[in-house]
Amino acid sequence: MSQLPERYRAAIAPLIDKAREFLEKGEALAPMAFVGNFTTGATIPAPLSMNSPAEKDAVARSLKLFAEQLDADFVFLLMEAYSLRADKVARYEEILDEYGSLADCPASWRIDVVSLSLETRHGVWVAQVPVRPKGISKKKRTIGVPEFRHYTEVEGRFTDLLPVKEGEGGASGTLH
């Protein structure tokens, strides 16, 4: 299944709209997680501290505990990030080896994006939306409509954040 289910789309659309609004006012996006439970209707924001690998690990552990306490159905991550231009993507590993991060590679090789990741019990949906100037302003920016891609097998510190519910095999099962 590659289409983001409507229930999740409805839950995250206002969050994406708010992020766009911040950019269009000339503000930066703080990295955020939103932990949601459909039964209670709660979607709770949690700021993300992303300054070092150790901080990222601590944040991931905290999010996992928070999602368990909330009996979460989804975790939505939203942040500004860098991505490589299409003609540089094949050199990703080489660029990381040489520069250590995309932030340190030549600016002309990368693009500003808003990175969106939605973990559900049916896999993870990910989108990267290029950030572009809004009009002639040097501070105001905007993003288009995200096109999410579905992944059933993902790895990394910000995955498997959802608690396993009774009768389920895990957070990254497939949707039937």
Side-chain angles (χ1 to χ4, degrees):
M1 163 170 284
S2 60
Q3 184 81 3
L4 182 63
E6 183 54 37
R7 182 178 208 186
Y8 294 104
R9 185 176 302 284
I12 67 171
L15 305 172
I16 296 167
D17 290 343
K18 189 55 126 175
R20 184 179 296 108
E21 185 180 311
F22 281 129
L23 290 171
E24 290 179 352
K25 287 181 180 178
E27 299 175 25
L29 292 181
M32 295 292 292
F34 298 89
V35 181
N37 177 302
F38 288 127
T39 303
T40 65
T43 299
I44 311 293
L48 303 176
S49 179
M50 310 290 270
N51 295 320
S52 71
E55 276 189 1
K56 291 175 186 179
D57 289 340
V59 166
R61 284 190 303 274
S62 295
L63 275 177
K64 189 171 181 77
L65 288 172
F66 185 41
E68 187 175 317
Q69 290 171 344
L70 194 62
D71 195 24
D73 294 303
F74 67 89
V75 177
F76 180 56
L77 304 176
L78 183 149
M79 67 191 76
E80 285 191 66
Y82 291 122
S83 185
L84 287 174
R85 290 187 344 225
D87 64 322
K88 300 291 183 192
V89 170
R91 294 185 52 208
Y92 175 73
E93 293 294 333
E94 176 187 335
I95 290 168
L96 285 185
D97 287 345
E98 184 173 345
Y99 296 98
S101 74
L102 297 185
D104 295 329
C105 80
S108 63
W109 293 6
R110 64 180 190 247
I111 58 173
D112 293 331
V113 297
V114 171
S115 178
L116 309 164
S117 174
L118 176 67
E119 181 178 332
T120 73
R121 302 200 175 285
H122 316 292
V124 176
W125 277 265
V126 177
Q128 286 191 338
V129 187
V131 177
R132 58 183 194 276
K134 179 160 174 75
I136 60 171
S137 173
K138 292 187 187 229
K139 286 189 175 187
K140 295 179 182 180
R141 304 170 297 150
T142 194
I143 57 172
V145 176
E147 293 183 27
F148 285 90
R149 292 185 61 193
H150 183 235
Y151 298 89
T152 55
E153 296 181 24
V154 293
E155 293 181 9
R157 71 170 49 97
F158 289 107
T159 60
D160 291 324
L161 300 172
L162 292 176
V164 175
K165 291 197 176 186
E166 202 169 311
E168 290 184 343
S172 59
T174 57
L175 183 61
H176 297 284

